[in-house]
Every structure is written in C-alpha cells, then in structure tokens.
Amino acid sequence: MAQDAQGPIQRVEITGSSIKRATTETASPVQVVSRDDLAKSGKGTVAEYLQTLTSDGAGSLPTGFGNGFAAGSTAISLRGLGATSTLVLLNGRRMAPFARADDGQKSFTDLSTVPMEAVERIEILKDGASSTYGADAIAGVVNIILRKDFVGTVFKAEAGESRYHDAGNGKAALTWGKGRLDEDGYNVMVNAEFYGNQSLLNKDRADRAWIGHGDIRPWGYAANTQFAAGYITPGASSPTPTGALRDPKTGNYVSLPGCSQFSVTTAQDPAGGCLWYQDQFRSMQPKIGGMNFYTRFTKNLSGDLQFYAEAGYSKRDTEFTLIPASTSSTVAFPPNAASPTGVITYGTAITMSPLHPQNPYGSAVRLRYSMFDVGPSTRSADNEFKRFVVGVKGTMAGWDFDTGLVHSQSALDLNYSNMINMKVLQAALGDPKSQYFPYYIGTQASKNPASLYAAMVTNATSHSTTQLDVADFKASRELMQLPGGALGLAAGAEYRHQSLHNPSLSGTSDGSINSSYVAAEGSQNVSAVFFEVAAPIIKSVELNAAVRYDKYKDFSSTTPKFGAKWTPLKTFALRTTYTEGFRAPGPAEFSPSSQSTGSSSVRDPIRCPGGVPAAGGATQVDCATSIGAVKVGNPNLQPEKSKGYTLGMVWDPFDGTALSLDAFKIKRSNEINPLSYVEAAALPTAIRNDNNLVVNGVAIPNTGTLLLSKAPYQNSSFTEVKGIDLDVKQRFRLGDYGRATVGLTWTHVASWVRVEKNGTRYQYAGTHGNCDTSDCAGTPKDKISTTVSWDRQNLNVTATANYRADMQNVYFAGDKCASTFANGSPAPGNCRLASFTTIDLSARYQVTPQLQVYGSISNLFDKIAPLDPLTYGGMSYNPMDASGAIGRFFKAGVRYQF
C-alpha cells in the first residue's frame, strides 16, 4: 500500500541495455558520474574529467598532443585499447567522428564537442556492448547524457592561470530553460558556452627541472636525444641552423660558422655541429578558442507520446607551434610515374651546387639545414561540429518505444604555416640557371630576396569532413510474469550511413612539400536489428541476453551478450557477463586510396641489434630513433572481433557504504594493424640513409640510418587485456559538522598482451609500450583515484588524489631498457619511470540562494612530472602527466541562477 501511495515505480534505461528497469544495477559494471561529481572535480571540460578515470589508458588523446594526426581533438581510450574501441554516445546515440583519423587510421569521437555545462550525468559501461550498439563498443561505452527538463536561467563564468602566471584560460556559459513537462506539457532548453586557452611553450617551463627541456644532459643523458638536432655523427648530420655540408673527401659533414647566432645551447656539439633543441620553438599546450551550443525541445503529445528535437553546434580552433622545416626531409605519397617508389629522400635528392657562394668544395655536396630563416611552423586545426536529432517516444499497445533521426557532421580545416616548396628549394640550392639561385643559408640568409621566400614558403591546407546519418527504432515491454518478476523484451532496428572525406594537405600528393601524404576516403552503409531479454527467473536471479545483427557491404556480424545477476541478500549481489564485439575497418584502413605516414620511436633492428649499437658507425641514437611509418589501405580487411568476460560483486556491507569489485578480460582478435614498426624496419622496403655501417673497411649495404618503413594494414595480431576494477564509496554523517563522502576507484591491469601474426608475444602491462598504437604514454599496472568531499551548510570542499603506478622504461616486458644515460647505464634509474600522484582541491560556497562562488587548485602540491626520455607526446615528460608539467593551476568562478 505504501508503494501504491508513492505512485508507479520510475523505470529508467541504463547504458548497455534497451530495457527500462527499476534498479540501476545490471549484470554489467557501469560507473555513473553525476553533474555534481563534475563540478566538484574542478575540471573544465568533459575530456579532462574522463581522462582521470582509472579505466582510461594508452591511446587516449590529451589536449597537449598537438603534433599528432588528430591535433585539436580529445578522446578517451578505455582499457588502453585505443579511442577507436571505445564507443562515445550523446544521449544514447552516436556522433559523427572527428574529421581526421588518429594515426591516420583510427576514427573516434571528439569529446571537445560536448558542452560541459549541459551534462546531466555520464555513464561508463565497462564491458562490451556491440550487442546493443554495434561496432566499436569493444572496450566499453561512454554515454554522455545532457539535461532534458531544465527550467530557469543560470550564468556561469570562470578564469584560471598557472602559478607561473601563464597558460590562462576562461569560460562563460549561459543556460536557459522554460516549461515543465508535467505541468506545461513542454520544455525548451538552450545552453551556450564560450572558452579560450592561452598557448604555453615548452621554453616557458625552462626553470621547472627537466620539464619541456629537449636538452636533458644535466640529468645524465647524452646530447643527441630525440628532441635534439644539429649534431654530427660519422657520415651523418641532423638538420642544423648554420647548415652543414658533406665533405666529398671524408664523407663527413662539416658545419658552417655562426652557431651562436641561432642556438641558445651553450654546451655545444664536440663533433663540430650546431646543437639545438626543439623547446626553442615547440608548444607544450596549444592556443584554443571555441564555443559549444546545445538546445533541446520536448513536447508532450496526446496518447502518452512525446516529441523531442536536439541541435548541437561546436566550433573549436587550436594552434600548435612546431619546429622550422629542414632541407632533408623524407616524404611518402602514392607512387606515380615520376616516383614509382612513392618516396623522396630529399636528404640525398637536394644538393648544393659547386657554384653556390657558400660551397667551398668545388663539387655538388649534400647539406643538412634547418630553416630558421623561414621560422617555425604553426599547425592550425579549426573544427566545426553539427548534430541534429528529431524523435518521438512514448507508449503504444503496451510497448515503450523510441524512434528518431540523427544527422551529424564534422568539418576540419588544417592550415600548416611555413611549409616548403621542395622543388623551388632544390633549384634555389642546386641549379645556377634557376631564377631563385642562390639560396643563402645560415648567417648569410639576410641576403635572400623576399621573392625567393614568396616562392619557396607556403601554407599547406586541407578541408576534411565526416558525416553520419542514422534512423533508429527500439521498443520494449513486459511479456509475462516469472517467479522473480516480469519478463522484459526489447527489439530494435537501425540504418546508418557514414562517410569520410579526408584529403591530404595541399602539395603532398607528389612529394612537392616537406610533409607526407595522409588521406582517407570512403563510406559505409550499415543495417542492423537487435533483440534483448531480461528474465528474473526467481526473486534473487536475473538472466539477460542480447543479440545484434549488423550488415555491411562486404561482411556481416552477429554479436551476442549474456549476463547473470544473483542477489542472495538485499545488500549483496554477484554478477557476470559474456559479450562478443566487433569493429569494422574504417575508410582509412580499407580504402586503397588511403595512406598515412606518422612517426614513432623505435629501436633499429639493423643498427641496434639486441639493444646495442652495431659496430661500424651506429650510435645510441639508433636504439631509440624517431622514424616515418607509412601505412597503406587494404580493401581485403575483415572486421576485428572480440570476446569479453566480467565477473564481479556489488556489496553494501554497512549503512552508507557501497562497494563493487569486477574482474575483466577482453580478447580482441583479427586486429587491424600495420606490420609492427620493428618488423617493418627490418624489411628491404625500409628507406635508409646511405651512411652504411663500415666494418674492417667494408661498407655493409642497406645499413644506413633508418628513415622510413612501409607496411600495409592487415588482420594480424590479437590483444588480450585482463584486470580488476574496484569502486568504493562511503558516506559519513557528521552531525553539526555536516556530511562527508569518501570514494576510491582502482584499476589494476594484470596483463596486456599483444601477439603478432608470426606468434611473437609482447607483454605491455607495467611497461612504456605499446608505442605502435599510442603516443608512447605507457601501460601502468595500477591507476587509483581517491576523492574526499565534505559538505556543511552552504560549503563544499573536495580533494581528489590521482595516482599512476611506475612503469619499466622498456618497449615491452623482458626487453632491453629503451633509454640510457650518457655513460650507457639504463635510464631513468633502474630503467623505471617513477610513479606520479597529484592532488586537486576544489571548493564552492552558496553565498545566496542565487549566487555561488567556487574555485579549484589543480596539482595542489605542485608535483613535477617524472622525467620521461622515451615518450614523444610531451617533451621529457609523459603526456598523461601534463598537470605535473604545467604546474599548480588556480581557477575561480561564479555561478548565478536567476
């Protein structure tokens, strides 16, 4: 009777299931982040918060990774399986992916397009869900649910800066809503937010220990680490601002004079080069300006029907500064008649004419020159995102149904400044008949006319788009009564069209500028049907099962899921799931017209076998060198497939205590990957310099410095991830002192194994790898987040500690140390990257019922991120430790509700 007096039980839909239910606990582990949790975190964006989740791993895209393929975007990578295996939904439906694939391969959803102030809650499903949502939900699902029934007006403004009085940011948001659905029969809500972040350069952290330093010799390393340039080695030289010419008699490079005019490095190269480091130019965090707009209209119709419409718009512009171009780049592009290999090594193709005034040798010579006279390149990425949804939901003939149409598109404009027309450069250095000859370099560059730079220097641009159109229908109902309750059934269908148009930067199709070809083109049509049942066979046991059939042009996929939940006590339940999933090859992978060239840090298997520099001229640089890696589309690819298992419990042992513990295992097979960089580097197709190793006076062919590897995509390896998630919350009532909440989430990765097609097995758990598929951020075994929150009357104070475990500085378990000190010993100490813990503090105070003031301090104790010599995502620090690079950060804001 008490239940009847309270009215009907409110049933809700939980991410991962299409059946509405009274309880939010299902057989699948789901982490729910409330709007209050977001506010207490002090984080400014959805991406910043989600990347603190302990289940986020390698392949995540932080804001500061501005030199990557997908610069200007942010993404989450559950279980370290990559952003492409994590499905991100907005209000339970898909969004168009970012208009440029990460690594030129992986399509993903850009979290930057989500309006932070409009978020109601975020549900993170931590097992597979292809049986409900189709492709990509291998590692899990992040469902961002926006507010639907807001009434009133709220204005919010905030600003922040680091303790160094830089890296400032600001945001202003206005949310307005009118109409109560229960009383007025309609609701309309509008949210708009505008934000901006100042650029932060690596050199702005010159006094913060090793942070942002390319030169890490003060901490025991050699001069020629990955962010160094200008140094000379036997038979080779890296690009130098003075210019270095190759003596035809000795085969060695000799630097031109005037180094002090360009390089700020005082401890110079003993071999005579002009040593300089990338922190002289490169950004640490990009300049960002953007806005998000979201509106929703809901109208109750007759007969328990409801109409709804959503519109979203996002504009985000980013700028990231990189180093000046060099004359010796190696570029890759689709083969043509003029270049049947599709590769041009300008380091050998460009020479300085014997008639050039700066050439003392009397014959054409190679040169290595970094074009400081042109200046650094700025990468601008301007992204525009649109999304529209219309739908009807309600009850009809005993069925709860929801049907809708989605149109979503993303457009990305790239503009790379100070790029080089390599044909003009080649003529200006080597052809006395050219109108551009001679191009003076180094200290004599002031002699060059403006007309030369007008012809030689260009902006490379591209306009990329993605589009997603979806029509869907789903319905659920109770069929019959079982001993434990009603048997629930859900069924649905979906049609989806998605397309990608990602042309390469202008000038890259034939190698005529100093950048490689990166393009993807293609479209897919997908039809799907799915069914789900939830069967409470007895009061304490619920079984559920789901199956989905997806039809693509060249293949189909049937993905089942089974789950069971046993609740012997009201406070205790055991749960388990088995799920199968898949990821369809994307246009960047299956289209023959798709090709990309990226970079990665690898050990050259020819010049550094077994982790030791080979005799005859190899150096430690060859043991951790940055190379170009060409990846080519393959139309014969099949989808990736996965099997996932979870086993866990939910326990509320005491009043105010909630605990969940879940073990997980995911095996992703038939993986779409290029041949591993290490294997590709050993192939005859690898492109090398001609400074071959010389042993006993004999040059060994094809042993020069590794420049580039070539490998098509293939269905090859499998990855298996195993671990445990722990989630504990405890509430305390403190009487006159208010109330407190303590929460802890912990993810332990017991094993993260990848097995190649040839059977080679790589264990990455607890190591710095997998560098093939991420920004070399590593795979720590443990990540822990602990939150303590205290409320008293109008005050809330929250402290959050985030911990990342230490990692072996190896590419994979059992491998040689990936980095060494100058004396040859393993680096960092004991070949381990230290653990890292930061504490964030936030507070808010309700001054009046309308006015709230709030503030936060990120990295409260100003912890410095550990020195990381291997990663290329951050300069001498791990990109996932960015708060330890930026330093203590203050933010303050006001919120006023009219």
Side-chain angles (χ1 to χ4, degrees):
M1 288 187 296
Q3 188 181 56
D4 293 340
Q6 294 170 1
I9 297 174
Q10 182 68 34
R11 295 184 178 273
V12 295
E13 186 175 312
I14 302 301
T15 300
S17 174
S18 297
I19 297 175
K20 291 186 176 182
R21 60 192 72 223
T23 175
T24 59
E25 289 288 355
T26 66
S28 296
V30 179
Q31 180 179 351
V32 180
V33 178
S34 68
R35 185 169 75 250
D36 201 44
D37 294 331
L38 289 173
K40 290 177 180 178
S41 72
K43 301 300 181 184
T45 66
V46 170
E48 284 180 28
Y49 182 89
L50 290 177
Q51 287 172 349
T52 67
L53 295 177
T54 59
S55 52
D56 183 43
S60 184
L61 295 176
T63 300
F65 197 34
N67 61 324
F69 281 93
S73 65
T74 52
I76 182 174
S77 168
L78 293 176
R79 309 301 185 202
L81 288 171
T84 191
S85 286
T86 300
L87 179 61
V88 176
L89 305 174
L90 190 67
N91 293 334
R93 289 186 166 101
R94 292 175 181 255
M95 298 183 281
F98 188 68
R100 206 170 198 229
D102 185 34
D103 284 351
Q105 172 190 6
K106 312 180 204 65
S107 294
F108 66 95
T109 302
D110 178 19
L111 294 171
S112 306
T113 62
V114 177
M116 176 84 159
E117 302 307 321
V119 173
E120 177 66 28
R121 68 185 184 278
I122 303 173
E123 296 177 350
I124 302 101
L125 177 72
K126 296 182 181 180
D127 70 350
S130 286
S131 61
T132 302
Y133 303 112
D136 309 333
I138 287 176
V141 177
V142 176
N143 188 11
I144 303 167
I145 299 165
L146 304 184
R147 306 184 73 171
K148 295 181 172 67
D149 197 5
F150 177 78
V151 176
T153 303
V154 173
F155 174 74
K156 191 174 180 181
E158 62 186 41
E161 68 173 18
S162 78
R163 78 170 183 87
Y164 299 94
H165 304 294
D166 59 13
N169 63 32
K171 181 167 70 172
L174 182 68
T175 307
W176 173 85
K178 183 180 180 181
R180 301 184 185 277
L181 284 170
D182 293 339
E183 299 172 10
D184 305 315
Y186 78 94
N187 177 261
V188 58
M189 189 199 83
V190 178
N191 169 262
E193 62 182 35
F194 301 85
Y195 59 89
N197 293 37
Q198 293 177 341
S199 172
L200 180 66
L201 301 176
N202 280 283
K203 63 185 178 183
D204 294 333
R205 290 295 177 268
D207 297 328
R208 191 173 173 82
W210 47 79
I211 298 298
H213 282 270
D215 186 357
I216 50 178
R217 285 177 289 176
W219 297 278
Y221 292 84
N224 51 357
T225 46
Q226 64 169 319
F227 297 112
Y231 54 86
I232 291 175
T233 55
S237 171
S238 63
T240 170
T242 59
L245 307 183
R246 190 187 191 205
D247 186 335
K249 294 181 179 178
T250 66
N252 291 323
Y253 284 82
V254 179
S255 180
L256 295 177
C259 182
S260 60
Q261 186 174 319
F262 305 102
S263 175
V264 298
T265 303
T266 53
Q268 267 302 320
D269 180 19
C274 182
L275 186 63
W276 66 281
Y277 292 89
Q278 291 190 18
D279 51 293
Q280 213 171 312
F281 301 100
R282 184 168 147 169
S283 295
M284 177 181 286
Q285 296 285 316
K287 178 183 177 182
I288 304 174
M291 65 89 66
N292 288 320
F293 174 84
Y294 173 76
T295 184
R296 179 182 173 98
F297 174 73
T298 310
K299 172 70 173 175
N300 289 337
L301 307 175
S302 60
D304 292 328
L305 298 181
Q306 187 179 87
F307 169 81
Y308 59 91
E310 301 173 21
Y313 176 83
S314 173
K315 184 80 167 69
R316 179 180 168 97
D317 300 339
T318 67
E319 289 185 6
F320 195 91
T321 302
L322 290 171
I323 60 175
S326 78
T327 59
S328 52
S329 55
T330 298
V331 297
F333 48 91
N336 56 44
S339 299
T341 64
V343 175
I344 297 177
T345 306
Y346 281 111
T348 56
I350 291 180
T351 59
M352 180 179 278
S353 166
L355 299 180
H356 193 291
Q358 291 175 280
N359 183 355
Y361 295 108
S363 62
V365 296
R366 297 181 191 174
L367 74 159
R368 297 292 182 261
Y369 179 50
S370 186
M371 304 170 73
F372 280 31
D373 52 316
V374 171
S377 174
T378 297
R379 294 186 175 184
S380 296
D382 298 345
N383 186 47
E384 189 175 45
F385 174 83
K386 300 173 184 177
R387 183 175 184 265
F388 305 94
V389 181
V390 293
V392 176
K393 65 179 181 179
T395 303
M396 187 175 292
W399 290 84
D400 291 326
F401 76 92
D402 189 346
T403 183
L405 299 173
V406 180
H407 171 74
S408 182
Q409 62 186 58
S410 183
L412 178 69
D413 286 293
L414 297 179
N415 189 325
Y416 291 11
S417 72
N418 287 349
M419 304 299 285
I420 306 301
N421 184 322
M422 301 302 281
K423 302 300 183 185
V424 172
L425 174 65
Q426 190 172 23
L429 284 167
D431 182 6
K433 298 178 182 179
S434 170
Q435 60 178 313
Y436 305 116
F437 185 87
Y439 168 39
Y440 291 93
I441 65 174
T443 57
Q444 298 188 38
S446 59
K447 297 179 180 180
N448 295 318
S451 58
L452 169 61
Y453 289 108
M456 185 173 64
V457 182
T458 184
N459 279 30
T461 62
S462 71
H463 177 74
S464 299
T465 58
T466 60
Q467 182 170 312
L468 174 70
D469 292 287
V470 183
D472 62 35
F473 174 85
K474 64 181 177 181
S476 66
R477 68 168 299 162
E478 296 178 353
L479 284 182
M480 57 183 289
Q481 289 296 316
L482 298 177
L487 174 67
L489 170 69
E494 179 184 286
Y495 175 79
R496 188 167 76 246
H497 171 78
Q498 51 199 42
S499 62
L500 169 68
H501 173 62
N502 182 183
S504 190
L505 289 168
S506 53
T508 58
S509 60
D510 60 357
S512 61
I513 70 167
N514 59 313
S515 184
S516 290
Y517 183 88
V518 177
E521 190 84 31
S523 62
Q524 291 174 317
N525 295 320
V526 187
S527 302
V529 293
F530 61 89
F531 300 91
E532 181 184 352
V533 293
I537 56 175
I538 59 176
K539 286 290 185 183
S540 61
V541 176
E542 178 181 303
L543 304 179
N544 59 70
V547 64
R548 177 174 170 126
Y549 175 79
D550 288 85
K551 180 70 175 74
Y552 290 72
K553 178 182 178 182
D554 298 319
F555 65 88
S556 60
S557 178
T558 302
T559 48
K561 181 174 183 176
F562 303 96
K565 180 184 172 187
W566 177 41
T567 312
L569 303 171
K570 287 184 178 180
T571 59
F572 181 80
L574 294 175
R575 60 189 182 188
T576 185
T577 62
Y578 166 78
T579 181
E580 295 183 10
F582 77 102
R583 184 181 77 84
E589 297 161 323
F590 72 70
S591 174
S593 62
S594 298
Q595 176 174 316
S596 67
T597 303
S599 63
S600 184
S601 181
V602 300
R603 177 185 299 119
D604 186 338
I606 303 297
R607 294 177 67 89
C608 187
V612 179
T619 69
Q620 196 62 44
V621 175
D622 298 300
C623 300
T625 185
S626 183
I627 67 162
V630 181
K631 293 163 281 190
V632 183
N634 179 357
N636 299 315
L637 292 175
Q638 291 297 304
E640 297 179 341
K641 297 182 179 180
S642 69
K643 293 182 179 180
Y645 310 82
T646 66
L647 175 63
M649 68 172 186
V650 180
W651 187 27
D652 300 340
F654 312 109
D655 181 36
T657 304
L659 181 152
S660 66
L661 179 67
D662 294 278
F664 62 87
K665 175 182 173 182
I666 302 171
K667 183 176 181 180
R668 184 176 63 186
S669 57
N670 216 34
E671 286 186 327
I672 300 170
N673 284 308
L675 192 68
S676 76
Y677 295 160
V678 173
E679 291 178 279
L683 295 176
T685 53
I687 306 299
R688 294 178 175 275
N689 210 334
D690 60 1
N691 58 324
N692 291 322
L693 299 174
V694 179
V695 178
N696 297 324
V698 179
I700 304 173
N702 203 31
T703 60
T705 304
L706 182 62
L707 300 174
L708 184 143
S709 66
K710 299 185 70 174
Y713 291 114
Q714 58 180 349
N715 291 111
S716 58
S717 55
F718 74 80
T719 293
E720 185 178 84
V721 187
K722 294 186 286 188
I724 296 172
D725 286 324
L726 173 67
D727 193 336
V728 182
K729 286 185 175 64
Q730 176 67 57
R731 295 185 299 276
F732 299 95
R733 295 182 179 88
L734 306 176
D736 292 341
Y737 295 95
R739 64 188 186 277
T741 304
V742 177
L744 179 146
T745 57
W746 168 49
T747 296
H748 173 70
V749 179
S751 175
W752 207 108
V753 170
R754 177 173 162 183
V755 179
E756 299 294 347
K757 195 172 185 178
N758 63 5
T760 305
R761 187 181 185 91
Y762 299 104
Q763 171 64 263
Y764 293 113
T767 76
H768 215 313
N770 176 2
C771 288
D772 284 4
T773 56
S774 74
D775 52 12
C776 233
T779 309
K781 284 191 174 182
D782 295 286
K783 293 180 73 176
I784 302 173
S785 179
T786 304
T787 300
V788 179
S789 185
W790 175 59
D791 290 272
R792 186 185 183 194
Q793 296 177 350
N794 296 326
L795 176 67
N796 170 266
V797 179
T798 300
T800 304
N802 292 306
Y803 165 82
R804 167 191 59 73
D806 62 348
M807 297 181 286
Q808 291 180 291
N809 189 32
V810 294
Y811 287 109
F812 53 89
D815 193 26
K816 294 275 188 179
C817 194
S819 307
T820 61
F821 290 117
N823 62 10
S825 62
N830 298 320
C831 196
R832 296 193 75 85
L833 181 67
S835 64
F836 186 56
T837 304
T838 57
I839 295 178
D840 301 334
L841 184 69
S842 71
R844 56 183 177 175
Y845 183 73
Q846 200 72 36
V847 181
T848 70
Q850 292 78 34
L851 177 63
Q852 181 187 98
V853 295
Y854 62 92
S856 65
I857 305 175
S858 298
N859 194 1
L860 177 64
F861 297 107
D862 202 29
K863 293 285 293 295
I864 297 176
L867 198 162
D868 187 341
L870 182 62
T871 183
Y872 53 92
M875 193 171 293
S876 301
Y877 68 92
N878 195 291
M880 303 313 293
D881 296 343
S883 64
I886 296 170
R888 185 185 296 122
F889 196 90
F890 302 89
K891 188 186 298 181
V894 296
R895 181 183 188 273
Y896 191 86
Q897 183 160 357
F898 295 90

